Amino acid sequence: RLTNLFTDMQHIYSTEAHALLKPAQVAEQLNIEKPTVWSWCRSGKLPHIRLSARNFRIRQSDLDAFLKA
């Protein structure tokens, strides 16, 4: 069921502005290390969607807003 839910979420957020990015994708875009992304999310600086205790995603639009601030 969770797999189906995640697939549905990916479909809903498939537009570029609402794309759900993995921390590794954010790190690659910004040319930084993954722990930096994790730290920003843990501190509340970078909004994210928690999928489970160990998995989360970042909306492209939230990343864009974070970078503009």
Side-chain angles (χ1 to χ4, degrees):
R1 285 190 166 183
L2 288 177
T3 303
N4 291 340
L5 176 63
F6 183 69
T7 302
D8 290 344
M9 284 177 59
Q10 282 184 315
H11 178 69
I12 292 168
Y13 291 104
S14 62
T15 63
E16 185 174 322
H18 293 291
L20 295 176
L21 305 172
K22 295 179 180 181
Q25 293 171 302
V26 172
E28 185 177 328
Q29 276 189 32
L30 302 180
N31 197 29
I32 60 174
E33 298 294 324
K34 286 186 290 186
T36 302
V37 177
W38 298 332
S39 175
W40 289 343
C41 290
R42 272 195 314 271
S43 71
K45 292 179 181 179
L46 181 58
H48 60 284
I49 299 168
R50 184 156 299 278
L51 302 177
S52 69
R54 297 182 58 101
N55 291 302
F56 60 92
R57 299 293 183 265
I58 298 105
R59 285 187 193 96
Q60 182 66 54
S61 57
D62 287 337
L63 177 60
D64 294 341
F66 172 77
L67 294 174
K68 289 180 183 176

